[in-house]
């Protein structure tokens, strides 16, 4: 048998919980597979992955039943240390997985501590597999998020395991770095024969790189299918809060029949026949809003100091004005300066040069507390928003500090709105990723700000939570004068934004409409952006202007169809 | 007030973090940093203890000059030096005032100065040695002189966690500010503001503990998968780690210079 992982009838309940997180789970993984595990937030995906290297049941001593066999070893009878030479595990919070100060030291840590005399060679080999060989001597604090993630992977590879498990490997990466990550995984899979298991929400990446898909729901394995079959099961996926690739959704929506496409290449073939008539339908461009300014940057600059006391510029000479009523998307690579730009508006950071003003007042003279009355910043990592020990207390904090009357009823309403009423007395840190995101948004909503800043709000979200998020932003529209979102999520940009700012190496290289941005491939490439699949498909099919949402694609399609019928 | 504000900006937690990292890690390319940890331990065994038993002013002055030189060679962070100088002045000044208050006269100045010089030599020697060794080197050095693996590992891991803790603390603190409310009246001499900040800096520790507990969980698991527990019982690992240590020409040279200097100093002190 070629099975490298065999899970049989596993049921697991975390200590202190009453409901099992895994229920009678059974499936197997073959050598050389590239498996994607999908499922809604809180469906048990992460728990499942902790089985493979024995963290469950050795570290989480809950109720465990069933058997897990990894490379012929019974996981329950082998130690975590023994299993780790067979299975490498990259955590979702991979930063806490790095234990040494310099890159090479960290990659060498595992082989050194298992007593391999060639530990340095192993580390170098692992680093070159993930293309980090240039940064051997760097401090891990100075690496970008993507590099840290690759280093965490190298730390596992140095033990030369046959199986790699990655929990949401691209959640915090821009599309360019995300693709790089998957290319590396593909090489490891195809050329080095590693079996790879990823937890992934991005079905477009699954379509391009994975060979099979395991769908998990409420702790159960619903099915395991080859990738094409899995992603075309549109109804089953959407029911559980997962988006199939955009091209699949579009084809399905049009109800044309045949085998639905899952990759861009397939979609190209699929739609080509009907889009032979290439025309340029007219589309309304949104009006440029030029009203009252809400926030203004004037020659703003920002630096930060590194360990070697050298200064690295983060923002260079930024001059831009945001107007009331705008919905601004801030896009660009990791490290382009998006978060810093947002933070300058909160007073959390003050510009090193130039000025930043919010609703007519410069931030230089204001404290963060004063700005908090107008501006709310929602962190990328929701955990950084939690300063109290229950959801309710966290939501109350702002209102209580300002002695707002009847804050209880307001808090009740907000908790209701974000489906947090049942969770209100729980510690936010112990909730699942999607629940944490909702809690962080609820905290922001309670502040009822004039300007709201969201940093990567859709990372790690399933369909349901994502819908809530957009709903939340829409509800705020009456009170909020400016919404700014820093994001890698081009789907969000194309569906939501009225104005897009592209940042690159601390400067603004584009400021305008999303339609224009998505048709400028050169600019997209320079900024490391990848347009939503549906936009890319319209480019391939020669549609101009490109469709930027599934709905507008469908409209274009229907229009083309009617043209053809008219001609006949 | 502007001046004070400027100082506050410079003394931010961010800055403290950079200085700390700098002290811990970034000085590992100087001449002294290239020495074997055992050389430095040996050197420190003399400079850290001997001054207590020396009362000769010339010898002490010589030792001070020597440690000042080595400190300069380690390119230590200015913040650390500032703290050291403030500490020494504070200590000496406080003793002087106390002795004057209880009926002493300026004659106490001389022994007080002697004490301060002794303390300065020892402190500078400590700075030279510990700022030159990266935590990793220090932990291997300790391993080589027979300290158990758990202790030496804790040191290197503790250093690794410090910046993370500081950053987390900074975040929590800012979170309170980004959602909280500062007193509207500043109060006489800003006392209300001061009280507000003191309160924040104390309550910030609470969320810090909760969130670090969670982060630490991942790290502990990761360490287990990376075999750190295995390493404490496996002699091969210790051997591997120690094999990176080697006493070289520069070590003997450094020890020889120090020895010659000390001998010359003692002779000088003895005859004059």
């Amino acid at each position: 048998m070629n099975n490298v992982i065999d899970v049989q009838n596993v049921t697991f309940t975390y200590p202190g919980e009453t409901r099992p997180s895994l229920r009678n789970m059974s499936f197997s993984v073959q050598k050389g597979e590239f498996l994607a595990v999908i499922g809604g937030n809180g469906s048990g995906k992460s728990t499942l992955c902790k089985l493979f290297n024995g963290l469950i049941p050795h570290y989480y001593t809950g109720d465990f039943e069933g058997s897990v066999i990894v490379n012929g070893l019974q996981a329950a009878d082998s130690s975590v240390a023994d299993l780790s030479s067979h299975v490498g595990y990259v955590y979702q919070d991979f930063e806490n997985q790095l234990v040494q100060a310099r890159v090479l030291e960290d990659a060498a840590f595992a082989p050194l501590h298992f007593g391999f005399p060639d530990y340095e060679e192993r580390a170098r080999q692992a680093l070159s597999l993930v293309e980090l060989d240039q940064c051997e001597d760097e401090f891990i604090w100075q690496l970008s998020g993507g590099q840290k993630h690759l280093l965490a992977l190298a730390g596992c590879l140095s033990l030369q395991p046959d199986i790699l498990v990655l929990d949401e490997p691209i959640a915090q990466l821009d599309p360019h770095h995300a693709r790089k990550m998957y290319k590396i995984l593909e090489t490891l899979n195809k050329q080095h024969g590693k079996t790879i298991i990823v937890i992934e929400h991005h079905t477009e990446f699954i379509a391009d790189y994975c060979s099979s898909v395991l769908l998990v729901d409420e702790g159960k394995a619903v099915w395991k299918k080859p990738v094409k079959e899995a992603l075309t099961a549109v109804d089953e996926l959407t029911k559980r809060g997962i988006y199939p690739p955009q091209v699949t959704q579009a084809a399905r929506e049009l109800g044309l029949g045949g085998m639905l496409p899952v990759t861009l290449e397939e979609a190209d073939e699929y739609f080509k026949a009907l889009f032979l008539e290439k025309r340029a339908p007219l589309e309304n461009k949104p009006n440029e809003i030029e009203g009252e300014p809400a926030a203004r940057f004037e020659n703003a600059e920002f630096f930060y100091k590194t360990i070697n006391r050298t200064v690295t510029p983060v923002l260079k000479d930024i001059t831009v004005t945001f107007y009331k009523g705008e919905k601004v998307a801030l896009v660009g690579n990791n490290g382009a300066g998006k978060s810093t730009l947002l933070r300058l508006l909160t007073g959390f950071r003050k510009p090193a040069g130039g000025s930043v003003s919010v609703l007519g007042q410069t931030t230089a003279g204001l404290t963060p507390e004063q700005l908090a009355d107008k501006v709310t910043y929602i962190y990328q990592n929701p955990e950084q928003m939690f300063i109290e020990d229950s959801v309710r207390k966290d939501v109350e904090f702002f209102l209580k500090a300002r002695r707002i009357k009847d804050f209880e009823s307001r808090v009740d309403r907000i908790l209701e709105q974000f489906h947090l009423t049942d969770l209100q007395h729980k510690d936010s840190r112990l909730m699942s990723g999607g629940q944490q995101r909702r809690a962080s948004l609820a905290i922001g909503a309670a502040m009822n700000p004039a300007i709201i800043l969201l940093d990567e709000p859709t990372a790690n979200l399933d369909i349901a939570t994502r819908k809530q998020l957009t709903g939340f932003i829409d509800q705020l529209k009456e009170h909020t004068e400016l919404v700014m979102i820093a994001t890698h999520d081009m789907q969000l940009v194309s569906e939501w934004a009225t104005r897009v700012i592209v940042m690159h190496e601390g400067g603004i290289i584009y400021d305008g409409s999303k339609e224009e941005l998505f048709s400028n491939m050169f600019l997209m490439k320079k900024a490391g952006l990848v347009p939503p699949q549906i936009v890319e498909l319209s480019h391939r099919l020669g549609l101009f202007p490109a469709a930027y949402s599934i709905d507008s694609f469908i409209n274009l399609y229907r229009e083309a169809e009617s043209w053809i019928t008219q001609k006949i | 007030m502007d001046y004070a504000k400027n100082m506050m900006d410079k003394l931010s937690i961010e800055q403290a973090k950079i200085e700390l990292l700098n002290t811990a890690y970034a000085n590992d390319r100087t001449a002294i940093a290239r020495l074997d940890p055992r050389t430095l331990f040996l050197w420190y065994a003399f400079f850290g203890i001997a001054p207590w038993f020396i009362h000769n002013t010339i010898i002490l002055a010589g030792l001070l000059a020597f440690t000042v030189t080595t400190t300069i060679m380690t390119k230590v962070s200015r913040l650390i030096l500032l703290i050291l100088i403030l500490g020494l002045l504070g200590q000496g000044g406080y003793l002087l005032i106390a002795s004057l208050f209880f009926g002493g006269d300026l004659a106490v100045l001389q022994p007080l100065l002697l004490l301060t010089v002794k303390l300065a030599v020892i402190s500078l020697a400590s700075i030279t040695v510990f700022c030159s060794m990266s935590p990793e080197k220090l932990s291997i050095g300790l391993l080589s002189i027979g300290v158990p693996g758990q202790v030496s590992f804790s040191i290197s891991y503790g250093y690794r966690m410090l910046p993370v803790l500081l950053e987390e603390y900074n975040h929590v603190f800012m979170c309170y500010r980004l959602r909280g409310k500062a007193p509207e009246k500043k109060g006489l001499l800003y006392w209300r503001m001061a009280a507000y900040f003191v309160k924040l800096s104390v309550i910030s520790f609470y969320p810090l503990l909760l969130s670090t507990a969670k982060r630490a969980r991942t790290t502990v698991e990761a360490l287990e998968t990376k075999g750190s527990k295995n390493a404490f019982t496996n002699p091969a690992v210790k051997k591997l780690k120690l094999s990176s240590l080697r006493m070289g020409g520069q070590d003997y040279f450094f020890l020889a210079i120090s020895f010659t200097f000390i001998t010359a100093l003692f002779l000088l002190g003895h005859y004059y």
Side-chain angles (χ1 to χ4, degrees):
Chain A
M1 242 188 3
N2 253 348
N3 288 352
V4 284
I5 292 180
D6 213 346
V7 176
Q8 288 301 329
N9 309 319
V10 170
T11 299
F12 178 75
T13 315
Y14 280 106
E17 299 274 331
T18 46
R19 262 162 36 106
S21 295
L22 299 177
R23 299 176 203 203
N24 205 15
M25 175 89 81
S26 299
F27 67 94
S28 57
V29 183
Q30 290 193 333
K31 189 167 169 49
E33 238 181 272
F34 196 144
L35 175 73
V37 179
I38 57 175
N41 289 122
S43 58
K45 305 185 297 288
S46 296
T47 310
L48 175 67
C49 287
K50 287 191 168 42
L51 287 178
F52 305 140
N53 61 352
L55 286 172
I56 292 174
H58 295 294
Y59 259 66
Y60 295 86
T61 49
D63 291 336
F64 177 83
E65 274 169 51
S67 102
V68 180
I69 297 173
V70 177
N71 255 3
L73 294 173
Q74 184 65 252
D77 303 334
S78 319
S79 71
V80 172
D82 287 340
L83 285 166
S84 58
S85 56
H86 299 278
V87 183
Y89 183 41
V90 181
Y91 284 79
Q92 200 175 349
D93 54 338
F94 54 89
E95 285 180 350
N96 303 320
Q97 203 174 347
L98 309 175
V99 288
Q100 297 282 285
R102 287 191 197 265
V103 171
L104 184 65
E105 284 169 5
D106 192 75
F109 188 90
L112 171 62
H113 285 78
F114 279 110
F116 293 110
D118 58 341
Y119 64 95
E120 247 180 50
E121 200 182 311
R122 279 165 171 258
R124 289 218 165 84
Q125 227 168 35
L127 286 177
S128 84
L129 281 177
V130 301
E131 298 171 22
L132 273 182
D133 28 2
Q134 301 301 317
C135 333
E136 265 184 31
D137 263 347
E138 285 195 37
F139 288 113
I140 56 167
W141 302 284
Q142 283 169 348
L143 299 181
S144 68
Q147 286 174 320
K148 280 185 196 161
H149 217 144
L150 290 172
L151 178 58
L153 177 60
C156 298
L157 283 172
S158 59
L159 286 177
Q160 299 167 355
D162 291 332
I163 305 160
L164 291 169
V165 182
L166 296 98
D167 196 342
E168 301 207 15
I170 56 169
Q172 288 165 38
L173 297 182
D174 60 61
H176 173 75
H177 287 95
R179 208 149 274 280
K180 185 177 167 190
M181 177 60 132
Y182 266 100
K183 286 246 164 76
I184 286 171
L185 291 178
E186 187 179 39
T187 316
L188 288 170
N189 177 244
K190 294 235 164 89
Q191 289 174 21
H192 301 269
K194 311 268 184 210
T195 308
I196 297 183
I197 301 174
V198 290
I199 295 181
E200 188 56 80
H201 283 300
H202 298 86
T203 42
E204 275 132 37
F205 281 94
I206 297 178
D208 282 348
Y209 296 99
C210 298
S211 61
S212 52
V213 178
L214 173 73
L215 176 65
V216 180
D217 191 24
E218 294 185 347
K220 286 185 195 146
V222 182
W223 41 248
K224 191 178 155 212
K225 290 180 178 173
V227 65
K228 173 106 181 163
E229 216 177 302
L231 293 179
T232 46
V234 180
D235 290 336
E236 285 181 72
L237 294 181
T238 32
K239 201 172 85 195
R240 294 183 173 85
I242 303 150
Y243 282 113
Q246 281 195 320
V247 293
T248 319
Q249 290 179 59
R252 157 77 197 217
E253 200 76 16
L254 286 164
L256 297 176
M259 194 64 184
L260 297 178
V262 294
T263 65
L264 207 50
E265 286 71 27
E266 289 173 11
D268 199 356
E269 280 300 312
Y270 187 88
F271 290 108
K272 216 177 188 166
L274 268 144
F275 273 116
L276 284 177
E277 292 288 318
K278 285 172 188 166
R279 309 157 306 107
L282 284 175
E283 240 185 78
N284 290 335
K285 263 195 157 186
N287 300 328
E288 303 256 325
I289 305 170
E290 283 231 3
E292 240 178 297
R296 190 197 296 271
F297 288 77
E298 257 172 288
N299 307 102
E301 289 181 338
F302 192 79
F303 309 99
Y304 75 86
K305 274 196 200 163
T306 64
I307 304 173
N308 307 317
R309 297 200 183 86
T310 48
V311 180
T312 313
V314 193
L315 292 181
K316 298 177 213 161
D317 197 20
I318 302 277
T319 300
V320 63
T321 307
F322 300 105
Y323 299 95
K324 290 185 181 176
E326 280 187 318
K327 298 200 263 183
V328 183
L330 216 53
V331 299
N333 291 20
N334 290 103
K338 305 188 297 290
S339 297
T340 311
L341 190 88
L342 292 186
R343 282 177 194 189
L344 284 181
L345 289 172
T346 63
F348 181 77
R349 297 265 187 265
K350 300 280 160 72
S355 73
V356 177
S357 58
V358 172
L359 299 170
Q361 277 180 296
T362 73
T363 59
L366 296 173
T367 60
E369 288 90 347
Q370 285 166 326
L371 278 161
D373 289 326
K374 298 165 192 148
V375 184
T376 294
Y377 175 73
I378 312 268
Y379 283 84
Q380 176 174 359
N381 177 358
E383 284 191 34
Q384 291 180 335
M385 303 277 294
F386 304 142
I387 47 182
E388 295 283 350
D389 58 6
S390 78
V391 181
R392 189 180 180 93
K393 284 192 199 163
D394 253 325
V395 176
E396 280 174 355
F397 188 88
F398 176 88
L399 300 168
K400 258 184 154 170
R402 280 164 182 73
R403 301 207 172 86
I404 308 257
K405 269 187 229 151
D406 304 328
F407 71 87
E408 278 99 351
S409 59
R410 201 154 135 194
V411 171
D412 284 337
R413 218 171 44 240
I414 288 169
L415 289 172
E416 186 71 33
Q417 188 185 344
F418 289 94
H419 308 282
L420 290 166
T421 313
D422 293 340
L423 297 166
Q424 59 177 306
H425 298 298
K426 235 183 146 175
D427 187 336
S428 326
R429 295 168 193 84
L430 303 176
M431 303 194 305
S432 80
Q435 293 168 339
Q436 286 189 346
R437 179 69 66 188
R438 295 209 304 265
S440 76
L441 293 176
I443 293 170
M447 295 171 69
N448 201 14
I451 297 180
I452 187 156
L453 313 168
L454 299 117
D455 203 345
E456 289 296 346
T458 54
N460 321 334
L461 289 192
D462 61 21
I463 205 168
T465 322
R466 234 185 96 119
K467 282 216 170 109
Q468 273 170 13
L469 172 96
T470 21
F472 155 72
I473 296 168
D474 284 340
Q475 279 173 23
L476 276 181
K477 229 173 3 190
E478 294 121 50
H479 311 283
T480 309
E481 285 167 349
L482 174 65
V483 185
M484 287 176 76
I485 297 186
T487 187
H488 296 314
D489 183 343
M490 290 303 137
Q491 242 163 300
L492 179 71
V493 174
S494 65
E495 287 159 14
W496 170 82
T498 58
R499 178 177 173 189
V500 187
I501 306 270
V502 181
M503 297 195 66
H504 184 62
E505 292 174 358
I508 292 179
I509 57 168
Y510 174 83
D511 179 356
S513 73
K514 59 197 171 200
E515 291 82 1
E516 212 172 310
L517 170 68
F518 287 145
S519 50
N520 189 341
M521 289 316 265
F522 174 73
L523 185 74
M524 299 276 293
K525 203 166 180 183
K526 183 174 175 192
L529 302 174
V530 177
Q533 209 179 21
I534 205 81
V535 176
E536 224 165 325
L537 178 65
S538 341
H539 283 307
R540 284 189 178 218
L541 294 170
L543 298 177
F544 185 85
Y548 50 88
S549 71
I550 297 178
D551 287 341
S552 73
F553 180 82
I554 289 170
N555 285 341
L556 284 183
Y557 189 93
R558 294 246 155 89
E559 226 172 301
E561 222 172 15
S562 66
W563 266 65
I564 292 169
T565 25
Q566 271 170 29
K567 273 190 182 170
I568 296 167
Chain B
M1 206 46 216
D2 273 358
Y3 180 72
K5 215 173 171 184
N6 205 355
M7 278 298 283
M8 277 302 284
D9 283 351
K10 286 228 168 73
L11 286 174
S12 64
I13 298 177
E14 192 67 28
Q15 193 66 25
K17 189 186 94 187
I18 290 169
E19 290 297 333
L20 188 88
L21 284 180
N22 205 290
T23 310
Y25 293 103
N27 293 340
D28 56 357
R29 301 284 143 95
T30 61
I32 291 184
R34 275 193 284 264
L35 298 175
D36 190 282
R38 285 166 296 186
T39 310
L40 290 172
F41 287 146
L42 202 64
W43 187 84
Y44 186 58
F46 177 80
F47 280 89
I49 297 168
W52 290 117
F53 306 104
I54 298 170
H55 306 287
N56 186 314
T57 343
I58 294 177
I59 298 179
L60 279 176
L63 290 180
L64 183 64
F66 193 70
T67 46
V68 165
T69 320
T70 55
T71 308
I72 291 170
M73 284 168 68
T74 57
K75 293 189 183 155
V76 65
S77 132
R78 266 169 257 163
L79 186 73
I80 300 279
L81 287 180
L82 183 76
I83 292 171
L84 172 73
I85 291 168
L86 283 180
L88 287 175
L89 286 181
Q91 167 91 358
Y94 141 76
L95 284 173
L96 181 66
I97 290 167
S99 72
L100 288 178
F101 188 76
F102 289 105
D105 54 25
L106 288 178
V108 298
L109 215 56
Q110 204 245 344
L112 211 55
L113 213 60
L114 207 65
L115 175 69
T116 309
V117 170
K118 284 181 182 191
L119 285 176
V121 171
I122 294 163
S123 316
L124 290 175
S126 313
I127 289 179
T128 304
V129 169
F130 292 106
C131 288
S132 299
M133 280 192 272
S134 69
E136 200 48 20
K137 200 166 171 185
L138 177 63
S139 82
I140 294 180
L142 287 175
L143 207 61
S144 75
I145 57 171
V147 174
Q150 284 88 337
V151 176
S152 65
F153 173 75
S154 313
I155 290 175
S156 106
Y157 180 65
Y159 267 103
R160 159 76 182 83
M161 285 310 282
L162 264 179
V164 176
L165 284 178
L166 270 172
E167 198 155 319
E168 192 74 27
Y169 182 82
N170 195 9
H171 259 301
V172 174
F173 189 83
M174 278 325 282
C175 236
Y176 273 113
R177 295 198 66 192
L178 287 176
R179 305 225 300 269
K181 184 144 182 69
E184 264 156 36
K185 291 187 194 125
K186 297 213 163 68
L188 190 66
L189 286 174
Y190 286 85
W191 78 269
R192 279 175 201 276
M193 285 305 277
Y196 172 69
F197 279 120
V198 168
K199 184 181 156 208
L200 280 195
S201 50
V202 174
I203 57 176
S204 294
F205 279 101
Y206 181 57
L208 176 76
L209 289 180
L210 292 177
S211 54
T212 350
K214 202 181 159 202
R215 282 161 156 262
R217 163 116 226 173
T218 304
T219 313
V220 170
E221 288 176 16
L223 282 171
E224 181 63 24
T225 63
K226 287 173 182 236
S228 70
K229 214 191 266 170
N230 167 62
F232 299 141
T233 50
N234 188 346
V237 175
K238 186 171 172 181
K239 223 174 109 191
L240 270 181
K241 284 194 173 178
L242 295 186
S243 68
S244 67
L245 295 181
R246 212 177 46 228
M247 296 283 277
Q250 49 195 5
D251 292 287
Y252 296 115
F253 180 71
F254 181 72
L255 287 177
I257 293 261
S258 304
F259 184 73
T260 319
F261 181 80
I262 292 165
T263 319
L265 200 61
F266 271 88
L267 287 175
L268 195 77
H270 190 69
Y271 289 111
Y272 292 95

